[in-house]
Structures are given as C-alpha cells and as structure tokens.
Amino acid sequence: MEKNLKALVDKLETRHTLLRDEWISLIRWRTPLLSDYVFQKARAVRQHFYGKDVYIRGLIEFTNYCKNDCYYCGIRRSNPKAHRYRLSKEQILNCCTDGYELGFRTFVLQGGEDGYFTDERMVDLVKTIRQEFPDCAITLSIGERSYDSYKALFEAGADRYLLRHETWDAEHYSRLHPPQLSASDRQQCLWNLKEIGYQVGTGYMVGSPWQTPENLADDMLFLEKLNPQMVGIGPFIPHCNTPLKDHPAGTLELTLYLLGLIRLLLPKVLLPATTALGTIDPRGRELGILAGANVVMPNLSPVNVRKDYLLYDNKICTGSEAAECREDLENRMRAIGYQVVTHRGDSLNTNQERERNNRYV
Ligand code: 5AD
C-alpha cells in the first residue's frame, strides 16, 4: 500500500482535517488495500462512540409534488410520468402511530418542494406530531425555505433538518440543477438552519455526472466547516425519465470508501447507510455499516404510495427497508454483529460545539 496515502489516513484519524490536495490524492489514488485500512479505522472510531448500535429513523415520504426541476431527480417537475400523491395530515399521523408501535422514536418527514405545504400547514402538522409524540424527534426534509419559515417550524417543535448540499462547487452544481437553483442559496439554508438551532444533516450523491475528485475534496472541506450532525451520502442512480438518464450510476466501492473517510473526519457524526446504497447492491446497507455508518432509515410511508416516491430507477421499496420488516433488518444487522436500538438517537455533538460552529455564519 502506498505509504504516503496511509500516512494521510493516519493524519485524518488523529487530526480530523486534511488539506484540499491531500483529499484529492486520497480519493484519486485509493486502492482496495487502502480502503480496508480506512474501514478498519472507521469501524474502531464508530465503535468507540456508538458501540455496535445502529440507530433507526422512520422515513415518511409525504408528498412527491415538487416545484424544482433537478436534472437527476425522478420527481422533478418536468417528469409527466411521475404519479403524484400527497398524504393527508391524518395519513401522516397514522404513519407516526404505526412507526411508534414498531419502535421508531424519530420521524423524518421528507417531501418534494410542494407549495401545498405552506408554513401554516407545516407548523400545524409539526405541532400536532410534537403533542402526540412528545418523546420523539421530528426531522424535516422539505428543501429550501426562508429563514423565517425554518424558524417557525423549529418553534413548532421540529428538532432536525436534512438538506443535502448536493455538491459544494458552484459550477458542478449548475450542471445538475436548473438556473433558478444555486449552490450558494443551498449552503445559506444550511447555515440558517444551524443558526436557528436545528441538528442539521447534509450530504451529496456519489458519482453524480461530471463529479471529480476535486469536487469530492471540496465536499469534504465543506463538511469539516459546517460540522453537521448527520451526513447522508449515496450513489447517484440514473432515473429513466430525467435528462441525466444516460449517465452511469455511482459505485458501491467509492460510496463505501467515502463513508469511511467521513467517519474519520467527523468521528461522532450520524452516518446513514442510505436506501440508494441498498439499491445498487443487495448487501449495500450492511457494507455501509461495516464501512463506518451507524444509521438506517426504513420507510414508514403507506405501502401504496411507496412505488411513487421514485427519485431513481429500481429504488427498493418492498424489501427489508420497509418498516414492517424491522425483524429482517434486525436479523441482517445481528448477522454482521450489530444491533438496532430504538431510542431517539441524538447526535453526540454538543451544543457547545454547535455554538462554536455558528461563528462561521
Ligand atoms: N440518484 C441518487 N440520489 C438521488 N437523489 C435525488 N435523485 C437521485 C438520484 N437519481 C437524492 C438527492 C436528494 C435526496 C433526497 O435524494 O441527493 O437530496
């Protein structure tokens, strides 16, 4: 194994920082041997903070209407073939009730940027969930909104917010998104969310079209600066009704490697083994856990709408990612020496650390 690269992994492990050129080398010149070295260390770090616990979050995909037109996404506005749905408040609350009985203590409300869900409707929804499930964490994942909107939702009882930065580089961002959307707006939303006090999750797609090792290095520098509580990464997977349909999918290999590096960069971060990872490989999520991930997010949406929340082709939606198959998920995790736990699974990042980060704003 290349000695210099190994030394970079050691530096990352002890100092939790690398220079841009160092990131580029680590990513560009990786080998299977070096990956194993990273995974070993990542597992040790993860075990130190989280033992063999795997946290679960119940994902409720409550609307697939979206005003945006991201070139990679299957629920983009211009996909006329997407069969649109929107869950009612009652349906969403039923998902939470079912999820609570299954042992979920975090609900992730994820949706497209759907104008129907005004601040008023969202605040009402969040308040109701907060009242009915006081011991649960409420996570929102509903895209870009104003500072005041984020603030109102936080005050209504939302604790966490997931918003992937997608790619840090403005030019790369503009190749994946229509001109109305920008990398800087996206990043500003994340700083706003932090300032308001949310626990924040960000992330990006691995192997998205035109992505370079330089882009991934910049993503790592951004993660270091933002210091989010969660980082969600998964392979890009083409969707047949999108402009990027002919681009190849990101690989399992690179996604796992980056998961390991992120664990070393942000030791206490919550790192999901994502649905996209489970989609490109039947053992993807197990391998993600073994590379340093510590969260899985099974689907709590009503079974009849799952087939419509298709961000990419072949998305798994009936297997063990389904909440009903919690037993199967537990068995899979047990088989690799891990156990699913049911508490809220708050990030170990302290408020103090969060405050320190807010000074970047
Ligand atoms: N492949 C993989 N991930 C995708 N996402 C959207 N479209 C795709 C795709 N084709 C991811 C984006 C978004 C998250 C909800 O899903 O990163 O932020």
Side-chain angles (χ1 to χ4, degrees):
M1 182 178 2
E2 232 272 79
K3 267 210 193 101
N4 293 337
L5 293 183
K6 217 172 147 200
L8 289 182
V9 175
D10 294 342
K11 176 183 170 186
L12 180 63
E13 181 198 21
T14 52
R15 294 210 249 149
H16 313 297
T17 186
L18 287 180
L19 302 171
R20 186 171 187 270
D21 283 342
E22 296 175 328
W23 279 120
I24 295 170
S25 300
L26 259 193
I27 293 162
R28 175 164 294 138
W29 307 114
R30 69 187 186 278
T31 61
L33 225 54
L34 185 72
S35 294
D36 280 336
Y37 189 66
V38 168
F39 298 153
Q40 238 174 14
K41 288 192 179 298
R43 275 201 297 269
V45 169
R46 171 273 194 242
Q47 179 139 358
H48 176 77
F49 290 110
Y50 293 101
K52 295 284 182 100
D53 289 353
V54 175
Y55 294 174
I56 49 171
R57 277 84 169 89
L59 187 63
I60 303 170
E61 296 161 335
F62 68 99
T63 173
N64 73 352
Y65 283 87
C66 192
K67 69 175 162 64
N68 290 332
D69 222 7
C70 308
Y71 302 149
Y72 47 83
C73 186
I75 63 167
R76 67 198 300 266
R77 183 183 65 207
S78 306
N79 177 10
K81 295 205 175 126
H83 175 245
R84 306 286 168 175
Y85 73 91
R86 178 184 287 140
L87 300 186
S88 67
K89 180 178 175 185
E90 194 194 353
Q91 282 176 306
I92 297 170
L93 290 169
N94 284 338
C95 290
C96 297
T97 304
D98 291 349
Y100 195 90
E101 272 161 29
L102 286 161
F104 291 90
R105 294 296 177 270
T106 294
F107 304 122
V108 182
L109 300 185
Q110 186 167 88
E113 292 193 18
D114 177 356
Y116 174 84
F117 288 100
T118 56
D119 288 352
E120 203 186 336
R121 288 198 174 103
M122 280 311 298
V123 162
D124 172 63
L125 180 60
V126 169
K127 276 190 180 160
T128 309
I129 299 175
R130 176 50 60 239
Q131 255 164 26
E132 293 194 15
F133 304 91
D135 58 332
C136 293
I138 303 174
T139 305
L140 298 178
S141 180
I142 50 176
E144 296 182 24
R145 299 173 87 97
S146 70
Y147 187 98
D148 291 341
S149 171
Y150 287 152
K151 191 148 193 286
L153 292 166
F154 184 76
E155 283 162 2
D159 310 276
R160 308 176 182 156
Y161 205 101
L162 307 182
L163 183 75
R164 290 186 174 182
H165 68 280
E166 308 298 357
T167 178
W168 176 84
D169 182 80
E171 206 224 293
H172 186 223
Y173 195 96
S174 73
R175 300 183 81 168
L176 302 175
H177 300 92
Q180 298 83 345
L181 298 173
S182 77
S184 62
D185 284 354
R186 194 79 173 177
Q187 290 159 28
Q188 188 56 53
C189 284
L190 285 160
W191 293 116
N192 291 348
L193 290 161
K194 282 209 93 161
E195 189 181 282
I196 291 164
Y198 282 96
Q199 297 173 41
V200 168
T202 193
Y204 55 87
M205 292 179 290
V206 175
S208 61
W210 308 288
Q211 185 181 63
T212 62
E214 286 77 7
N215 294 148
L216 289 168
D218 289 330
D219 290 327
M220 291 299 198
L221 296 176
F222 178 67
L223 292 182
E224 182 185 351
K225 197 170 154 192
L226 184 71
N227 189 26
Q229 279 76 22
M230 179 180 268
V231 177
I233 64 165
F236 161 74
I237 304 172
H239 184 290
C240 59
N241 299 319
T242 63
L244 300 180
K245 64 178 165 33
D246 295 323
H247 289 261
T251 63
L252 176 73
E253 179 272 322
L254 181 54
T255 308
L256 295 175
Y257 183 66
L258 293 168
L259 282 171
L261 293 180
I262 293 169
R263 171 61 63 205
L264 296 181
L265 173 68
L266 304 171
K268 299 183 203 172
V269 82
L270 296 164
L271 203 52
T274 53
T275 308
L277 192 58
T279 297
I280 54 163
D281 190 290
R283 288 198 70 229
R285 273 166 319 159
E286 285 97 316
L287 295 172
I289 297 293
L290 292 169
N294 66 334
V295 178
V296 283
M297 304 170 74
N299 201 320
L300 278 183
S301 315
V303 175
N304 65 314
V305 303
R306 284 188 198 168
K307 62 180 184 328
D308 296 323
Y309 202 84
L310 292 183
L311 308 183
Y312 43 81
D313 290 339
N314 308 315
K315 185 178 168 219
I316 48 174
C317 60
T318 51
S320 64
E321 86 301 336
E324 290 75 14
C325 297
R326 249 207 65 185
E327 206 176 316
D328 180 54
L329 182 70
E330 260 159 45
N331 290 336
R332 280 164 174 260
M333 294 299 135
R334 210 175 299 121
I336 57 167
Y338 291 77
Q339 71 258 348
V340 172
V341 296
T342 59
H343 53 72
R344 278 173 51 129
D346 277 290
S347 156
L348 297 174
N349 264 2
T350 63
N351 282 325
Q352 220 174 11
E353 270 174 290
R354 232 177 287 154
E355 273 157 33
R356 182 168 54 82
N357 286 307
N358 283 345
R359 284 189 220 128
Y360 278 110
V361 178

